Amino acid sequence: LWRRQAALAAAREDEEEKELRQRFMAPPVSGLRELRRRRRELRSRMELLIMETQAEMCRALAELDPGASFAVDSWERKEGGGGISCVLQDGEVFEKAGVNVSVVSGFLSEEAARQMRSRGKSLKAKDGKLPFCAMGVSSVIHPKNPHVPTMHFNYRYFEIEEADGTKQWWFGGGTDLTPTYLNEEDAIHFHKTLKEACDKHDLKLYPKYKKWCDDYFYIKHRGERRGIGGIFFDDVDSPSKEEVFQFVKSCAKAVVPCYIPIVKKHCHDSFTPEEKLWQQLRRGRYVEFNLVYDRGTKFGLLTPGSRIESILMSLPLTARWEYMHNPPESSKEAEILEVLRNPKDWVH
């Protein structure tokens, strides 16, 4: 009887492992057996969530662009951990679409620790070292058609062990939309979907994180936002680890329904060379924000052993900078600039 039960348990494990392999784009960084062994721990549940989110988004994008395929690149980091980069380039619908997972560990660099302390983190190192674990899923999608917006999302978990053995943890993330041209129906759909995800947990979260998003994705030297926003949050460590995880899970599950219907709606729209030029100029602004202000990009570049190709996956294949370019007043191009300079409430 004991042998039969053991054989049944082993068969169930093999079936579970096979199912997980089929669900993901590649084997998880921590390994399926290790994740299953620690499946009740939040770190394992978060890694499973980011793997599932990656696979769901990649499959949804591939369905819209069947002539293209994702390059799936698993990589290791000698300091600890690794990641899975999934990138589609030069498709019919998407010029570049990347969905990355990273699960890294090791010791924080002095510069990264300094950046965190500047945000109010009290980090007590032991012999100058701070062990950390960070994991997340990050995606940027740059469509070819200027009537399909660029979209970005990122959801992450961070854990640090201090000198006395206590652990600090927090979650961060968000989802935001960057259209070349304003379509109010799309903006309302995008924001309503994110609001519904937030409202399941607390009605105060959407307005709080919507404002945070508008404030964070601000290109100071241009006086305008990167896009029409969405939600953004960081350093969230209350009310409890489980409650924040469930909130992050709801947000991650909202990325496909908030964006894919917009792509389907516009990916075959006709466009002019002038509209394509405006898209290229707006992408230049996207690059400026990511390289000058984005905290995630900076953290990645400051982390020893980080993979530059994956960090800079967020940049478009093509962009343009023209000297003193100003669109005509009352044009469709001027319309989007007005919203970028003065964010709107899209859900009331």
Side-chain angles (χ1 to χ4, degrees), residues 121-179:
K121 295 288 179 189
S122 173
L123 305 175
K124 304 178 188 73
K126 183 178 182 180
D127 301 325
K129 292 184 176 180
L130 277 165
F132 82 96
C133 165
M135 64 182 68
V137 56
S138 180
S139 175
V140 178
I141 299 151
H142 293 291
K144 281 193 168 178
N145 193 311
H147 297 293
V148 182
T150 285
M151 195 266 264
H152 156 258
F153 72 85
N154 171 274
Y155 291 99
R156 56 194 179 273
Y157 172 72
F158 210 96
E159 194 175 276
I160 288 181
E161 186 175 331
E162 296 189 272
D164 61 1
T166 59
K167 290 182 179 178
Q168 285 200 49
W169 59 268
W170 58 89
F171 290 86
T175 306
D176 62 280
L177 198 69
T178 304

Side-chain angles (χ1 to χ4, degrees), residues 28 39 43 100 137 139 183-184 207 259 289 294 307 311 339:
R39 61 180 171 270
R43 275 169 57 169
N100 291 350
V137 56
S139 175
N183 181 298
E184 294 211 356
Y259 181 60
F289 178 86
D294 187 64
R307 192 169 188 270
I311 294 165
V339 173

Side-chain angles (χ1 to χ4, degrees), residues 100-123:
N100 291 350
V101 155
S102 64
V103 181
V104 299
S105 57
F107 297 102
L108 274 188
S109 69
E110 287 184 21
E111 183 58 37
R114 188 158 45 246
Q115 196 183 99
M116 288 182 181
R117 288 187 178 108
S118 73
R119 305 203 316 262
K121 295 288 179 189
S122 173
L123 305 175

Side-chain angles (χ1 to χ4, degrees), residues 240-288:
S240 73
K241 191 182 279 190
E242 181 62 29
E243 286 173 284
V244 184
F245 172 72
Q246 291 300 332
F247 166 67
V248 168
K249 186 175 181 178
S250 293
C251 294
K253 293 297 180 187
V255 294
V256 167
C258 76
Y259 181 60
I260 294 300
I262 297 173
V263 182
K264 286 181 178 176
K265 181 178 170 186
H266 296 292
C267 63
H268 299 300
D269 287 2
S270 61
F271 58 88
T272 65
E274 292 76 21
E275 288 171 332
K276 187 66 180 176
L277 171 64
W278 179 242
Q279 181 193 51
Q280 296 289 291
L281 291 166
R282 295 314 307 165
R283 282 186 179 166
R285 298 287 205 269
Y286 203 94
V287 172
E288 288 176 26

Side-chain angles (χ1 to χ4, degrees), residues 65 88-98 140-151 177-181 219 221-222 224-227 259 263 271 273-292 312-322 325 333 336-337 340:
D65 207 339
L88 180 158
Q89 290 186 151
D90 278 325
E92 289 296 316
V93 175
F94 303 107
E95 183 176 290
K96 188 179 181 186
V140 178
I141 299 151
H142 293 291
K144 281 193 168 178
N145 193 311
H147 297 293
V148 182
T150 285
M151 195 266 264
L177 198 69
T178 304
T180 301
Y181 289 94
I219 309 172
H221 60 271
R222 298 287 188 182
E224 62 191 43
R225 274 77 190 165
R226 189 177 76 177
Y259 181 60
V263 182
F271 58 88
E274 292 76 21
E275 288 171 332
K276 187 66 180 176
L277 171 64
W278 179 242
Q279 181 193 51
Q280 296 289 291
L281 291 166
R282 295 314 307 165
R283 282 186 179 166
R285 298 287 205 269
Y286 203 94
V287 172
E288 288 176 26
F289 178 86
N290 281 29
L291 294 183
V292 177
L312 298 184
M313 171 275 296
S314 64
L315 302 183
L317 279 185
T318 60
R320 187 179 176 96
W321 286 265
E322 284 189 10
H325 183 278
E333 291 76 15
I336 188 71
L337 282 181
L340 300 180

Side-chain angles (χ1 to χ4, degrees), residues 2 13 23 41-42 50 54 57 61 71 108 111 122 137 156 182 186 195 199 204 234 240 256 283 318 323 330:
W2 177 83
E13 281 192 4
R23 270 164 51 195
E41 293 180 22
L42 189 129
I50 62 179
Q54 179 186 52
M57 180 53 82
L61 296 173
L108 274 188
E111 183 58 37
S122 173
V137 56
R156 56 194 179 273
L182 183 64
D186 297 343
K195 182 178 183 297
D199 286 355
K204 296 175 186 172
D234 207 357
S240 73
V256 167
R283 282 186 179 166
T318 60
Y323 183 70
S330 303

